[in-house]
Amino acid sequence: MKMTTKCRERRSKDARQKTENGKCTARPPSVLRSLPSVLCFLVLLAGCDKKAVEQAQQEAREAKTAVQQLKHNLALAEKEIDNAKAELAVVKQSRDELQEQVKEANEERDQALELAQKAQDAALARSGGQTSVTAALQQQIAELNALVAEQEKLIEQLKAGAEGAAESVPPADEAVPPEPNDG
């Protein structure tokens, strides 16, 4: 109980000292009062365990080496990323150029297909007109062939009639009296 009472008295005394114009007095807080004792304890611990300190220093050196290696690896990775970005830019440019060429080729193909369709339509239109002309010419040929056949028959008949008449005609050696109008 006495301790509790002493603590209360100390607190009330600290509170009285703080309240002068709302400012704290020059008395340090309790944490700062215990700092020297903590530091002494740490110094004692450090002195007792030199092996642990040396091991910690070795680990620190190894950590520094690892950090340097990581920095080096990071620099290499950044270079590779920059190179990949440059290659990507070149590939994108090539892709864009190829897409433009494909677009132009497709347009040319479409124009050629359209022209071929027009030519085919025109050829069909001409051949339709030529079909009727061809049919008319074939009919005329058939008529002419029939006429030729008739004329050949007539020629044969005339030849046959001429041979019969030639037998009744006097020989050419005999003098034939001239006609009165010849002259």
Side-chain angles (χ1 to χ4, degrees):
M1 250 331 225
K2 279 188 173 181
M3 292 199 86
T4 311
T5 311
K6 285 183 181 178
C7 286
R8 284 185 191 159
E9 288 175 9
R10 208 179 312 154
R11 284 188 198 154
S12 64
K13 189 176 178 183
D14 289 342
R16 276 183 253 137
Q17 289 177 355
K18 275 186 177 179
T19 57
E20 185 182 313
N21 291 333
K23 294 183 181 178
C24 294
T25 59
R27 186 170 180 173
S30 61
V31 174
L32 292 178
R33 281 184 267 153
S34 63
L35 187 62
S37 61
V38 170
L39 288 175
C40 287
F41 177 72
L42 289 176
V43 168
L44 286 174
L45 282 178
C48 294
D49 200 9
K50 287 184 180 179
K51 187 175 185 181
V53 170
E54 288 176 5
Q55 185 178 0
Q57 288 175 345
Q58 179 64 29
E59 288 175 3
R61 285 189 292 267
E62 289 173 359
K64 285 181 183 179
T65 304
V67 167
Q68 291 298 324
Q69 184 64 35
L70 289 173
K71 284 181 181 179
H72 177 71
N73 290 345
L74 178 62
L76 291 176
E78 286 175 346
K79 279 185 180 180
E80 288 180 24
I81 289 171
D82 290 341
N83 289 341
K85 284 181 181 179
E87 286 180 29
L88 179 62
V90 169
V91 168
K92 283 182 178 180
Q93 182 181 2
S94 297
R95 180 202 61 205
D96 292 344
E97 290 173 359
L98 288 174
Q99 284 178 341
E100 185 64 30
Q101 289 176 355
V102 166
K103 181 180 175 184
E104 290 174 5
N106 285 338
E107 289 174 359
E108 289 176 6
R109 180 203 62 206
D110 292 343
Q111 290 174 352
L113 285 174
E114 185 178 327
L115 184 62
Q117 184 64 38
K118 286 180 182 179
Q120 185 178 13
D121 292 344
L124 286 174
R126 272 192 246 128
S127 69
Q130 288 177 350
T131 302
S132 61
V133 170
T134 303
L137 288 174
Q138 287 177 347
Q139 184 179 2
Q140 285 180 353
I141 290 171
E143 290 173 2
L144 288 174
N145 284 337
L147 181 63
V148 167
E150 285 180 27
Q151 287 179 353
E152 285 179 353
K153 283 182 187 178
L154 182 61
I155 290 172
E156 290 295 323
Q157 288 176 0
L158 288 175
K159 279 185 181 179
E163 286 178 8
E167 290 176 6
S168 64
V169 174
D173 291 344
E174 293 180 19
V176 179
E179 288 195 22
N181 292 336
D182 282 339

